[in-house]
């Protein structure tokens, strides 16, 4: 039933894919964090225009499946703008845009949770808006959003699997290619699932250690 | 030092401060009394522009604070504020709470700022707590840290908004003692409080506010023995009872 001899062949392929998966997930979450912080922050400010733009952006992303976003970014946008992306760039764009929408909601919630008294204390000491944001608002907000951010990172890693539809050579793509040509579907996909399990489990352990170290209280 | 002229403040069509006119002088300790909802906090917050007045003028050393090119930040450096709920920075240690604005606003080197902060903590009786986190302190200790934090900026004036209202009764005394010392040293203070004993003993001047205005402006002797208005009489009778 289970063709053990296929394992040594598919294993290195999935390891190749793993590197791509991690590369895209890490770059995607970093870019997603930066965009998400900006989008989440402007939604807590009084600027109606910026806040509406950010809300519109979040609405679009949250209301369409990530697979459609991937297809759109890779096939439609290049055609409209008459440019071309390579698959990996399109993949990173897709992952970061998608993550940023969810992260912006996390950021918005965390920023709103910081008591208004922190702003008032900062202002009453003569601090300016940026000093207050960077020294008094972001640190506690970041601390309180750490569990949700970690969770988003886990979701993002799993989301990279859909990039297989635009041919990005991440883990799922590699396993799928091998399965299709060798017909060892059971072996390929079982090993693939095990890879995700191990990667996510390691990440989960690292994240909770990090949270403990930072004294985050998980509710 | 501060002149308030025809100050009005509206929150969504509700007139919270209605034409307040009052002057504050250097080295004077003013206590503001009055029922809850009278507009005391709003008034105090207008003085350092945490609230933007709807109409009227506030002059600080003769300069209109509502002028476009008035330096609001400088005003806030000069006029410190102590809040009912302390508003300490929870992720910073006690001494860091006191140092932060010295470093960021006064651009003081860290080492100097720390020395200055320790000096301020000594003044409020908390030298031994410099390196602990604020949440490990009692309310009274936290409020004294907040006072040290404001004092570190060497303000010309301090605003207190019900500094002891959030404290357990047995912790009120330590905070009032610190404030009493400040008054003795000649600090200009405006204190919104319900501590009648403190007001009677320390204040040079009592303002009684009701319904968005200052309805009495008197010395403590006059105010506590012979208040002019019925509202003040009614207010006081509740405290004597
Ligand atoms: N930010 C605000 N928005 C709307 N109404 C407010 C706001 N702040 C205060 N008020 C209202 O203004 C009135 C006076 O409040 P406040 O100045 O806090 O009174 P006090 O400090 O004397 O108890 C109250 O009726 C309060 O509900
Ligand atoms: Mg009040």
């Amino acid at each position: 039933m289970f063709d053990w001899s296929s394992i040594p062949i598919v294993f290195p392929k999935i390891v190749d894919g793993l590197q791509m998966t991690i590369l895209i997930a890490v770059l995607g979450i970093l870019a997603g964090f930066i965009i998400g912080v900006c989008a989440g922050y402007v939604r807590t400010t009084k600027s109606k225009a910026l806040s509406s733009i950010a809300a519109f952006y979040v609405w679009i992303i949250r209301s369409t499946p990530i697979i459609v976003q991937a297809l759109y970014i890779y096939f439609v946008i290049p055609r409209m703008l008459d440019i071309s992306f390579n698959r990996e760039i399109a993949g990173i764009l897709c992952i970061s845009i998608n993550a940023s929408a969810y992260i912006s909601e996390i950021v918005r919630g965390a920023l709103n949770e910081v008591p208004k008294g922190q702003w008032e204390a900062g202002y009453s000491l003569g601090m300016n808006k940026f000093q207050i944001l960077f020294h008094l608002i972001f640190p506690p907000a970041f601390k309180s959003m750490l569990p949700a951010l970690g969770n988003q990172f886990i979701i993002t890693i799993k989301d990279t699997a859909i990039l297989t539809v635009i041919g990005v050579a991440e883990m799922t793509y590699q396993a799928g290619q091998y399965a299709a040509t060798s017909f060892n579907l059971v072996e390929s996909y079982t090993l693939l699932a095990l890879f995700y399990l191990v990667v996510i489990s390691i990440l989960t352990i690292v994240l909770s250690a990090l949270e403990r170290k930072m004294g985050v209280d998980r509710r | 030092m501060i002149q308030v002229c025809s100050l009005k403040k509206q929150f969504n069509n509700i007139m919270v401060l209605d034409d307040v006119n009052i002057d504050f002088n250097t080295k004077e300790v003013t206590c503001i009394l009055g029922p809850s909802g009278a507009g005391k906090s709003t008034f105090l917050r207008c003085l350092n522009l945490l609230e933007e007045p709807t109409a009227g003028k506030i002059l600080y050393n003769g300069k209109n604070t509502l002028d476009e090119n008035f330096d609001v930040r400088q005003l806030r450096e000069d006029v410190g504020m102590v809040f009912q709920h302390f508003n300490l920075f929870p992720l910073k240690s006690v001494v860091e709470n006191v140092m932060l604005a010295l470093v960021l606003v006064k651009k003081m080197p860290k080492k100097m700022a720390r020395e200055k902060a320790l000096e301020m903590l000594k003044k409020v009786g908390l030298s031994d707590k410099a390196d602990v986190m604020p949440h490990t302190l009692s309310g009274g200790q936290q409020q004294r840290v907040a006072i040290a934090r404001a004092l570190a900026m060497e303000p010309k004036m301090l605003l207190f908004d019900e500094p002891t209202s959030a404290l357990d009764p047995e912790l009120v005394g330590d905070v009032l003692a610190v404030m009493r010392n400040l008054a003795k040293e000649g600090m200009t203070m405006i204190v919104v409080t319900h501590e009648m004993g403190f007001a009677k003993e320390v204040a040079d001047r009592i303002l009684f506010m009701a319904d968005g205005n200052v309805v009495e402006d008197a010395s403590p002797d006059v105010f506590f023995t012979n208040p002019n208005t019925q509202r003040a009489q009614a207010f006081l009778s509740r405290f004597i009872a």
Side-chain angles (χ1 to χ4, degrees):
Chain A
M1 264 321 294
F2 198 93
D3 179 5
W4 288 98
S5 70
S6 70
I7 297 297
I9 309 169
V10 67
F11 191 94
K13 289 182 191 292
I14 296 183
V15 170
D16 276 353
L18 174 62
Q19 292 174 27
M20 182 62 78
T21 293
I22 290 176
L23 178 76
I24 291 182
V26 168
L27 290 179
I29 201 91
L30 286 178
F33 181 70
I34 294 168
I35 305 168
V37 167
C38 297
Y41 168 68
V42 298
R43 291 190 72 188
T44 65
T45 64
K46 289 196 195 93
S47 161
K48 282 264 179 334
L50 286 176
S51 172
S52 315
I53 292 170
F56 181 75
Y57 172 79
V58 171
W59 171 67
I60 295 276
I61 303 302
R62 293 218 304 177
S63 312
T64 51
I66 185 169
I67 194 162
V68 175
Q69 292 161 16
L71 294 169
Y72 209 85
I73 289 171
Y74 187 58
F75 293 113
V76 181
I77 289 179
R79 212 162 279 200
M80 287 194 318
L81 302 180
D82 203 18
I83 49 170
S84 66
F85 290 144
N86 71 31
R87 301 165 196 283
E88 290 73 27
I89 299 290
I92 291 170
L93 262 177
C94 173
I95 291 297
S96 51
I97 287 173
N98 187 272
S100 73
Y102 293 94
I103 291 174
S104 82
E105 291 293 283
I106 296 170
V107 170
R108 181 165 72 115
L111 288 176
N112 283 334
E113 245 179 62
V114 179
K116 257 184 66 203
Q118 297 290 301
W119 282 98
E120 299 183 345
Y123 278 132
S124 75
L125 288 164
M127 292 167 66
N128 67 34
K129 194 167 154 177
F130 294 101
Q131 293 171 330
I132 296 175
L133 266 181
F134 284 99
H135 293 273
L136 305 184
I137 306 298
F138 285 151
F142 183 72
K143 188 176 161 185
S144 75
M145 68 186 156
L146 210 57
L149 278 181
N151 195 40
Q152 181 58 44
F153 191 29
I154 286 171
I155 291 170
T156 293
I157 289 179
K158 291 185 288 182
D159 278 350
T160 57
I162 63 96
L163 297 179
T164 201
V165 299
I166 59 170
V168 175
E170 41 68 52
M171 283 205 288
T172 302
Y173 179 87
Q174 295 282 15
Q177 289 288 302
Y178 179 74
T181 50
S182 68
F183 299 104
N184 286 323
L185 287 110
V186 175
E187 296 76 8
S188 305
Y189 289 133
T190 305
L191 193 63
L192 176 66
L194 282 173
F195 261 80
Y196 279 111
L197 258 172
V198 170
V199 169
I200 302 294
S201 303
I202 292 173
L203 185 64
T204 305
I205 293 166
V206 170
L207 285 172
S208 51
L210 187 67
E211 282 169 24
R212 250 199 319 278
K213 187 159 165 268
M214 297 193 51
V216 174
D217 38 306
R218 249 179 183 281
R219 268 151 297 177
Chain B
M1 185 173 192
I2 290 189
Q3 289 160 284
V4 179
C5 318
S6 311
L7 176 67
K8 291 189 180 162
K9 175 68 190 179
Q10 223 168 341
F11 287 116
N12 346 298
N13 294 329
I14 302 167
M15 208 44 114
V16 172
L17 293 176
D18 195 1
D19 200 32
V20 177
N21 291 282
I22 209 97
D23 290 1
F24 293 102
N25 306 315
T26 319
K27 304 224 166 187
E28 209 172 53
V29 177
T30 308
C31 281
I32 303 182
L33 311 179
S36 155
K40 305 181 298 295
S41 298
T42 307
F43 178 60
L44 210 61
R45 293 157 55 85
C46 281
L47 294 181
N48 69 349
L49 299 177
L50 281 183
E51 300 286 358
E52 197 184 339
T54 311
K57 270 198 289 196
I58 299 173
L59 304 183
Y60 177 65
N61 292 334
K63 287 197 216 113
N64 187 352
T65 60
L66 304 175
D67 258 2
E68 258 182 45
N69 41 22
F70 180 83
D71 189 351
V72 176
R73 240 197 24 70
Q74 182 62 50
L75 168 91
R76 289 180 178 145
E77 233 182 290
D78 285 357
V79 180
M81 187 159 196
V82 174
F83 302 87
Q84 183 174 354
H85 296 287
F86 332 134
N87 299 352
L88 294 181
F89 311 137
L91 299 184
K92 302 198 179 293
S93 71
V94 163
V95 68
E96 285 167 346
N97 263 271
V98 183
M99 285 167 62
L100 185 69
L102 291 175
V103 175
L104 293 179
V105 178
K106 298 246 192 242
K107 311 289 176 210
M108 210 182 255
K110 279 222 165 106
K111 196 159 165 274
M112 254 174 86
R114 192 182 156 88
E115 275 166 28
K116 172 104 197 169
L118 290 173
E119 191 187 314
M120 293 302 125
L121 287 171
K122 190 168 169 202
K123 202 170 163 138
V124 299
L126 291 173
S127 296
D128 53 329
K129 301 289 185 190
D131 291 307
V132 308
M133 297 308 277
H135 73 266
T136 64
L137 300 181
S138 74
Q141 291 170 329
Q142 291 192 39
Q143 191 61 297
R144 278 142 67 199
V145 175
I147 294 174
R149 181 175 70 179
L151 282 177
M153 300 302 284
E154 302 191 339
K156 303 199 168 63
M157 178 182 219
L158 277 179
L159 310 175
F160 294 82
D161 191 359
E162 301 199 26
T164 58
S165 294
L167 302 180
D168 292 336
E170 75 271 20
L171 302 174
V172 168
D174 291 342
V175 173
L176 293 183
V178 168
M179 292 168 64
R180 215 171 265 133
N181 279 337
L182 288 176
K184 239 180 256 159
E185 288 170 16
M187 175 63 77
T188 310
M189 303 183 358
I190 305 178
V191 185
V192 174
T193 186
H194 294 295
E195 293 293 330
M196 295 302 144
F198 176 82
K200 212 180 280 185
E201 178 198 329
V202 181
D204 301 305
R205 178 185 183 193
I206 304 284
L207 300 184
F208 178 72
M209 285 186 75
D211 296 334
N213 221 320
V214 176
V215 294
E216 290 209 34
D217 176 358
S219 73
D221 283 348
V222 173
F223 180 80
F224 285 105
T225 52
N226 197 6
N228 266 321
T229 59
Q230 284 221 304
R231 295 219 53 166
Q233 284 163 17
F235 178 78
L236 283 174
S237 67
R238 273 188 291 132
F239 281 93
I240 292 157

